[in-house]
Amino acid sequence: MPTSSNDPSPAADHRQNRPPAPLAGRRVRAAIIGIGAIGGGSHLPAFERLAEEGETEVVAAVDIDADAVAKFCAEHGIPHGYTDLERMLAEQRPDLVSVCTPPTLHRDQTIAALRAGAWVWCEKPPVPTLADFDAVEAQEGADSGGPYASIVFQHRFGSGTRHVRKLLAERSLGRPLVAHCQTTWHRDTAYYAVPWRGRWATEGGGPAMGHGIHQMDLLLDLLGPWSEVRAMAGRLVHDVETEDVSTALVRFESGALATIVNSVLSPDEVSRIRIDCERATVELTHLYGHSNADWSVTPAPGTPEADVAAWRDFGEDVPSSHLAQLRELVASMRAGERPRSSGADGRTSLELIAALYKSAFTDVTVRRGEIGPGDPYYTAMHGGAPGWAPGTAQVSADATEESTA
């Protein structure tokens, strides 16, 4: 399979994108890359549900383990199994490819699929760096109705998020003023025994990147563009390269202020977003997915009952899920339109994370848009910072001892 690279701009003359295949009157042909817990447990069930509705068919699966992929295909009625991504793309010519591999592989696998003319649905985090994201976006068929690469941010999708987004956009609740975004989970040493976890080169970052990215993306989806961030990070428990906890203060263009906490040190696990507006507080409390019942709306004193009733009417319950996002993605494919959670819309949370790390490691306020080519945090989330970049921890410790001797 392809391997990751930090080259931000593959040569244009190497592109092999074929024109998007007409989708009218037929199922979307899909392939799954990576058949682990995410590929088999989240992506495949979503495809199978849409297959029941006549929308999709999974025509191939790819994995480095030949025996495992053969067994996977036999169990799920998938006609073709591969260990070679390029061969699968050439022989099966799928319309849509799900990328469910470790983050370090996402960039090159996504680019390979785009060049073959397939749309991509890539698990979070999409790629390890902003440079990698821009390299992927450069391969999209933005001038020809696709293909596009969409990121799995399933918490944006479903009836609860749709309802609250509409209330905030219409200012029904008044101006958003104060927000809190919390991803406080617990991961033990066995979790980090997996070789690619906790390392910058293979995971891209710690809980801000691999865990809290979902809630941060949802917060940005609800509140709109952020303007500046001030952050701190720590490595308090786990023997990893990355952080295991971070906190941040974020100012939004609207003027709203937010706190963000990302942790893998918290026995009482919860995912939470709270937004205090002029007329009401809206709050989401869940863990790995939410339904209408996980949202609450608390009105300010004196609010008319009719307004409160309308705010609390979430309609038919459509839980956040891979299925909810895939359903919208397939609709975008059929319409030849850029899907949500792709391009600039998909990049926003990755940029916030890069800014969070830069602020935490340099002790400065970072503003949206300032991390670009030439900035060390554009090509590595650790930015080469002493004590955080691979191979610098001991150097940093020795320098500290010398300075205090």
Side-chain angles (χ1 to χ4, degrees), residues 120-123 140 148-152 325 329 339-342:
V120 176
W121 193 31
C122 181
E123 269 296 332
E140 294 180 325
Y148 296 107
S150 181
I151 308 160
V152 177
Q325 181 172 3
L329 173 58
R340 282 201 295 154
S341 193
S342 71

Side-chain angles (χ1 to χ4, degrees), residues 11-356:
D13 60 354
H14 289 171
R15 293 185 60 172
Q16 302 169 6
N17 297 70
R18 68 175 191 266
L23 296 176
R26 67 174 181 86
R27 294 171 183 259
V28 170
R29 292 166 45 83
I32 298 175
I33 309 173
I35 58 171
I38 291 295
S42 296
H43 285 242
L44 180 61
F47 279 115
E48 289 177 332
R49 177 63 181 275
L50 287 190
E52 294 173 0
E53 301 172 12
E55 287 289 335
T56 63
E57 60 177 329
V58 178
V59 298
V62 183
D63 198 87
I64 58 174
D65 187 326
D67 292 337
V69 76
K71 181 180 178 182
F72 183 82
C73 290
E75 289 178 349
H76 298 288
I78 299 171
H80 304 285
Y82 292 85
T83 57
D84 186 293
L85 172 60
E86 296 283 0
R87 180 181 173 189
M88 184 280 291
L89 292 170
E91 293 182 358
Q92 299 306 319
R93 301 174 67 86
D95 305 303
L96 174 62
V97 170
S98 276
V99 176
C100 309
T101 52
T104 189
L105 301 174
H106 289 179
R107 174 193 187 271
D108 284 354
Q109 290 175 338
T110 297
I111 287 176
L114 290 171
R115 285 177 171 174
W119 292 51
V120 176
W121 193 31
C122 181
E123 269 296 332
K124 63 80 191 167
V127 284
T129 71
L130 289 171
D132 289 330
F133 190 97
D134 292 346
V136 167
E137 189 175 1
Q139 298 297 313
E140 294 180 325
D143 298 328
S144 55
Y148 296 107
S150 181
I151 308 160
V152 177
F153 283 136
Q154 74 271 21
H155 291 197
R156 291 191 189 193
F157 299 82
S159 53
T161 301
R162 181 172 60 248
H163 178 65
V164 171
R165 186 190 302 112
K166 184 172 185 291
L167 293 178
L168 292 169
E170 294 177 347
R171 289 292 191 264
S172 298
L173 308 179
R175 289 185 301 124
L177 304 172
V178 183
H180 176 66
C181 179
Q182 176 183 355
T183 304
T184 45
W185 294 356
H186 189 268
R187 297 294 183 266
D188 59 16
T189 54
Y191 176 84
Y192 284 105
V194 176
W196 61 267
R197 288 180 175 148
R199 299 181 181 276
W200 295 107
T202 49
E203 194 169 20
M209 185 73 150
H211 304 85
I213 189 172
H214 273 305
Q215 298 313 302
M216 287 189 286
D217 180 77
L218 178 54
L219 182 73
L220 295 173
D221 188 53
L222 294 173
L223 289 185
W226 61 278
S227 59
E228 60 182 352
V229 60
R230 188 68 188 254
M232 300 177 71
R235 192 187 293 122
L236 304 185
V237 172
H238 295 292
D239 183 17
V240 293
E241 290 180 351
T242 66
E243 87 288 3
D244 55 17
V245 62
S246 68
T247 62
L249 303 175
V250 180
R251 189 188 307 275
F252 284 80
E253 285 189 355
S254 67
L257 298 177
T259 62
I260 295 177
V261 181
N262 299 305
S263 165
V264 288
L265 311 178
S266 308
D268 183 10
E269 295 188 296
V270 69
S271 304
R272 178 180 292 121
I273 286 180
R274 171 182 168 133
I275 303 173
D276 298 322
C277 301
E278 292 172 306
R279 302 186 65 205
T281 292
V282 59
E283 184 166 358
L284 168 65
T285 304
H286 66 116
L287 188 55
Y288 299 135
H290 52 84
S291 62
N292 288 353
D294 296 311
W295 294 85
S296 66
V297 180
T298 304
T303 302
E305 292 184 5
D307 289 351
V308 177
W311 297 342
R312 290 176 173 170
D313 183 5
F314 282 69
E316 179 186 358
D317 190 10
V318 179
S320 68
S321 65
H322 283 71
L323 174 61
Q325 181 172 3
L326 180 59
R327 194 184 301 280
E328 186 171 311
L329 173 58
V330 169
S332 296
M333 292 179 66
R334 294 193 181 281
E337 298 173 348
R338 175 178 286 282
R340 282 201 295 154
S341 193
S342 71
D345 182 47
R347 191 181 191 271
T348 179
S349 55
L350 193 68
E351 183 182 10
L352 176 59
I353 293 167
L356 183 156

